[in-house]
Amino acid sequence: MTDRHRFATNLSEHGYQLLVNAIVDYAIYMINLDGHISSWNAGAERIKGYRAEEILGEPFSRFFSEEDRDQGLPQRSLQIALNEGRHQGEGWRIRKDGTRFWALAVLDAVYDESGQIIGFAKITRDLSDERRTHHALVDSERQFRLLVDGVSDYAIYLLDPEGFIVSWNNGAQRIKGYQAEDIIGAHFSRFYTEEDRRHQLPQHALRSALDNRRYEAEGWRVRRDGERFWASVVIDAIHDEEGRHVGFAKVTRDITERVETQQRLDEAREQLFQAQKMEALGQFTGGLAHDFNNLLTVILGATDLALRLSGDARLNKLLENTRQAALRGGDITRQLLSFARRKPLETHRVELGELLENSAPLLQQSLRSDIRLLLYIGENLHPLQIDPAELELALLNLVINARDAIEEAGEIHLRAENVLLEERHDGLCGDFVALSVRDTGRGMPAEVRSRVFEPFFTTKTFGKGTGLGLAQVHGFAQQSRGAVDVRSEPAQGTCFTLYLPALEDGAALQPQVPRILLVEDDEVLADVTASMLETMGYRVESVGDADQALQRLLRSSGYRLLLSDVIMPGRTNGLELANKVRERLPELPILLTSGYSEIVIDGHSAYPLLPKPFSYDGLAQAVQRLLGPAD
């Protein structure tokens, strides 16, 4: 039995030795009581770099760094293991080649069968790779934290699965206004508006992010001080390595400025579109008025001549009716020309407060008895340089338009006040007088509001309006170097505001100097005009274009007046002809006539102008102002 026990013991010790030597990931060796190495396994050789014959009998302190040896760390670890039976620690160790590695070391006291300590068992593991990985992860997390905290244009923070805030970066603090200690632990729904919370938009956002792994949206959010801002929001669901949902990552950007810029750009594009549309309409209506004025001038001239020659009372009555119809047609063309900015204004210095007070009774008479006109005149209104008759007509058109918008009893507020514009209305800038007409009527939808200034556009029933009233207002405002603005919503009433430029320094501008010229390419109109002038006692010669007129004027000095149409075929128009004649014959009076004239600049004309259609008396007065009565 003794031999059998000794054999079993030897076999067990041999098997244990084989096991220890087979381990290569751990350095396992024995240390005697004085700290010298007494055994060495294959793992120790791989990790430390020493073969057994090189290291057995050497002190184990050789594996420690010089700093650790100076501090007595090897002896201290042996003392702790001796006193407590075990010592464990991590630190730098040295290989045979002098390189360092990070080691996890366990030192256990070893006792014999009688309980006497006979040495120490040392197990060392090389954790260099794990330590590098750990430190790389720590550095990555630190760099990521620095990155997230360094972002100031985005609010980046984490939510738990229920939507409560668990982290907060500097961007979130800047955009939302909360310090981290004030907001961590609160629910992210506090950033939403009251309306969105009532509609459970925060909960919907989290559900959508969880179902689709991502949620994106834009909308109003609320800062700590209650101010709203337009936000771009992204919410991502976060899952751990095992796929469990652990929370949400939320990124918010304040894009209020971008949205406002886009809105201003859209408004500018819309204004440009409207301006181009109105300009195109103006060119069309101006051309239409020009041709129509030629026809009306023929009708008026021929009618006036017929009235002078006819002795038949019945025929004269018919002719007078024809004349009145032509005059009414002239009123229509004047409104079209006003819209097209082709009708010259007769501007004067105007005190607006006085004009409004004088016009108020007439405006009130145009209203029903159940509508009140309330007049508000601001203090020290700027004087204006405008055409008072056209302003009164514009006011009348606005008031009538307001009256027709009020279905039952209501009020119309007419207000005048000084304003300082900073390029907010059609590029206007400086001192203006704002003249507004606000009603309590039914208001207008956007599609109607965008077309109210178009000629012949009306929402009234057939026969209730021509669609030219607001067109005249628009044309008057533009030609007066101002603008007109309309604000209206359904059931909220409408407000039209005229912006008229203040007269600089309160002084009147130079009055228009009448200078006019004549040549006519329309043969019928030329014959009628010549007949009217001959009836007045003048001798008339007619030519059809500017080149013929210039040649005839230069060949003969007997002409006392040049009367010319402005728009004519050929290379030279009436205005250019007038300029050439003025250079060569400065003493010759010039009278221009046109139904479509572009000689008006800032309310001034270079030459006297007789608008078409003109009557016999109108022509006679214009000629007599330049030449006096015919002999």
Side-chain angles (χ1 to χ4, degrees):
M1 292 296 293
T2 300
D3 291 340
R4 185 181 299 173
H5 176 72
R6 183 180 299 112
F7 175 78
T9 299
N10 290 336
L11 183 61
S12 175
E13 289 177 353
H14 180 67
Y16 179 77
Q17 185 65 38
L18 291 175
L19 173 64
V20 170
N21 285 330
I23 296 174
V24 296
D25 289 334
Y26 291 84
I28 304 175
Y29 55 97
M30 295 289 294
I31 301 173
N32 60 26
L33 291 176
D34 58 3
H36 289 77
I37 300 168
S38 58
S39 71
W40 197 248
N41 80 327
E45 180 176 337
R46 187 187 70 83
I47 294 174
K48 309 276 190 175
Y50 294 93
R51 296 193 303 275
E53 59 269 22
E54 296 176 315
I55 199 65
L56 289 176
E58 295 293 327
F60 89 108
S61 60
R62 164 178 299 199
F63 308 133
F64 286 76
S65 67
E66 186 175 349
E67 309 94 273
D68 289 344
R69 289 198 299 270
D70 292 342
Q71 294 177 13
L73 186 60
Q75 294 76 13
R76 189 161 59 249
S77 62
L78 290 178
Q79 190 63 44
I80 293 174
L82 183 62
N83 296 336
E84 301 178 6
R86 181 184 181 84
H87 174 263
Q88 179 175 323
E90 292 185 15
W92 291 110
R93 298 296 183 265
I94 309 298
R95 305 187 203 273
K96 179 182 178 179
D97 61 6
T99 58
R100 292 190 176 199
F101 68 98
W102 189 262
L104 170 64
V106 178
L107 189 63
D108 288 287
V110 179
Y111 301 89
D112 62 11
E113 292 83 352
S114 64
Q116 293 294 319
I117 186 168
I118 59 175
F120 303 93
K122 186 86 175 336
I123 301 176
T124 302
R125 185 182 179 190
D126 183 357
L127 295 181
S128 300
D129 291 340
E130 289 85 346
R131 186 175 188 275
R132 280 194 294 270
T133 302
H134 172 73
H135 279 277
L137 180 60
V138 170
D139 288 343
S140 175
E141 291 178 348
R142 184 173 64 87
Q143 293 294 331
F144 182 75
R145 168 55 62 183
L146 292 174
L147 172 64
V148 170
D149 284 341
V151 173
S152 60
D153 289 338
Y154 292 82
I156 304 175
Y157 53 98
L158 295 176
L159 307 176
D160 70 10
E162 302 301 321
F164 291 92
I165 300 165
V166 296
S167 73
W168 197 247
N169 81 324
N170 290 329
Q173 178 179 325
R174 186 187 70 81
I175 293 173
K176 311 271 190 177
Y178 293 91
Q179 300 286 341
E181 57 269 21
D182 298 327
I183 198 63
I184 289 179
H187 198 271
F188 86 111
S189 61
R190 76 163 52 183
F191 307 134
Y192 285 73
T193 64
E194 182 63 33
E195 311 94 275
D196 288 345
R197 288 199 296 269
R198 282 200 304 269
H199 290 91
Q200 296 188 334
L201 188 58
Q203 292 78 4
H204 166 74
L206 294 185
R207 284 196 302 271
S208 179
L210 188 58
D211 294 341
N212 305 306
R213 305 190 70 87
R214 185 178 182 85
Y215 170 82
E216 294 186 50
E218 292 185 6
W220 289 112
R221 297 296 183 268
V222 182
R223 306 189 207 274
R224 183 175 187 175
D225 59 6
E227 179 189 8
R228 290 190 177 196
F229 67 99
W230 190 262
S232 172
V233 176
V234 177
I235 302 177
D236 288 286
I238 301 175
H239 297 81
D240 62 14
E241 295 82 356
E242 298 179 1
R244 291 180 302 222
H245 175 232
V246 295
F248 301 92
K250 191 164 189 299
V251 180
T252 301
R253 186 180 183 190
D254 182 355
I255 59 172
T256 307
E257 184 176 351
R258 190 190 77 186
V259 171
E260 291 176 347
T261 300
Q262 184 62 44
Q263 288 176 343
R264 288 194 294 268
L265 180 60
D266 292 341
E267 290 172 359
R269 287 173 176 167
E270 179 63 24
Q271 290 176 0
L272 177 60
F273 170 74
Q274 290 294 334
Q276 291 173 336
K277 181 176 71 172
M278 299 303 282
E279 183 65 25
L281 285 170
Q283 293 177 0
F284 170 74
T285 55
L288 177 65
H290 167 259
D291 294 337
F292 194 43
N293 274 339
N294 283 347
L295 297 176
L296 290 174
T297 302
V298 172
I299 295 171
L300 278 173
T303 303
D304 286 343
L305 288 175
L307 282 170
R308 290 176 179 276
L309 298 176
S310 173
D312 188 326
R314 184 176 179 183
L315 178 59
N316 286 350
K317 183 176 180 181
L318 294 175
L319 290 172
E320 182 59 33
N321 289 339
T322 302
R323 186 175 186 278
Q324 292 301 319
L327 290 174
R328 286 196 295 272
D331 291 337
I332 293 176
T333 59
R334 276 190 289 275
Q335 288 183 305
L336 289 174
L337 288 171
S338 177
F339 167 77
R341 291 171 283 169
R342 301 292 186 264
K343 177 179 178 292
L345 299 179
E346 297 181 5
T347 63
H348 307 284
R349 178 189 171 100
V350 172
E351 300 295 338
L352 185 58
E354 181 180 343
L355 183 146
L356 292 177
E357 289 177 350
N358 293 335
S359 302
L362 173 64
L363 298 176
Q364 182 65 64
Q365 289 176 8
S366 68
L367 304 178
R368 302 192 305 269
S369 58
D370 58 351
I371 298 177
R372 287 198 306 158
L373 178 66
L374 304 177
L375 180 62
Y376 305 91
I377 300 176
E379 297 182 357
N380 302 317
L381 291 180
H382 298 308
L384 306 174
Q385 184 77 14
I386 56 173
D387 187 327
E390 287 295 315
L391 175 58
E392 289 179 337
L393 178 60
L395 283 175
L396 185 61
N397 284 328
L398 290 173
V399 168
I400 290 175
N401 189 76
R403 176 201 67 190
D404 294 342
I406 300 175
E407 298 176 345
E408 299 178 353
E411 295 177 346
I412 297 175
H413 300 258
L414 178 57
R415 176 184 293 273
E417 57 188 344
N418 294 333
V419 294
L420 178 62
L421 299 183
E422 298 177 353
E423 297 187 2
R424 289 181 296 177
H425 295 276
D426 292 350
L428 302 182
C429 182
D431 289 319
F432 283 74
V433 175
L435 182 58
S436 62
V437 177
R438 179 172 59 85
D439 64 60
T440 57
R442 57 181 176 270
M444 294 181 288
E447 60 271 17
V448 174
R449 189 170 62 247
S450 65
R451 300 187 60 192
V452 291
F453 297 120
E454 296 180 14
F456 305 114
F457 175 78
T458 180
T459 58
K460 300 174 184 178
T461 57
F462 181 76
K464 296 295 185 179
T466 63
L468 292 175
L470 294 179
Q472 181 272 334
V473 174
H474 180 273
F476 165 72
Q478 294 290 317
Q479 198 168 352
S480 299
R481 294 171 292 129
V484 59
D485 176 59
V486 57
R487 299 182 184 276
S488 182
E489 296 292 340
Q492 300 296 320
T494 301
C495 181
F496 287 90
T497 303
L498 276 168
Y499 294 96
L500 301 173
L503 184 60
E504 295 182 4
D505 300 328
L509 300 175
Q510 294 296 323
Q512 294 180 351
V513 178
R515 301 175 185 174
I516 309 177
L517 171 66
L518 175 65
V519 176
E520 181 58 63
D521 61 291
D522 188 315
E523 293 182 3
V524 177
L525 179 56
D527 289 342
V528 173
T529 304
S531 297
M532 287 191 287
L533 290 171
E534 288 171 351
T535 302
M536 298 173 197
Y538 300 103
R539 194 181 63 167
V540 180
E541 295 182 18
S542 299
V543 292
D545 59 56
D547 293 336
Q548 294 182 52
L550 185 59
Q551 293 175 9
R552 187 168 295 193
L553 285 169
L554 295 178
R555 286 199 305 264
S556 174
S557 60
Y559 293 101
R560 297 182 57 196
L561 175 69
L562 177 62
L563 175 62
S564 176
D565 188 14
V566 174
I567 305 300
M568 294 182 296
R571 294 175 300 175
T572 306
N573 61 32
L575 181 57
E576 293 169 340
L577 172 62
N579 291 334
K580 292 179 179 180
V581 172
R582 178 66 71 231
E583 292 176 0
R584 304 182 185 188
L585 302 170
E587 75 284 354
L588 180 66
I590 300 173
L591 176 65
L592 297 179
T593 179
S594 180
Y596 181 81
S597 172
E598 296 191 11
I599 68 171
V600 179
I601 302 174
D602 290 340
H604 300 77
S605 64
Y607 303 99
L609 177 68
L610 176 64
K612 296 178 182 178
F614 51 80
S615 64
Y616 180 95
D617 292 336
L619 177 61
Q621 292 173 6
V623 173
Q624 288 172 10
R625 277 196 296 268
L626 295 173
L627 301 179
D631 294 336

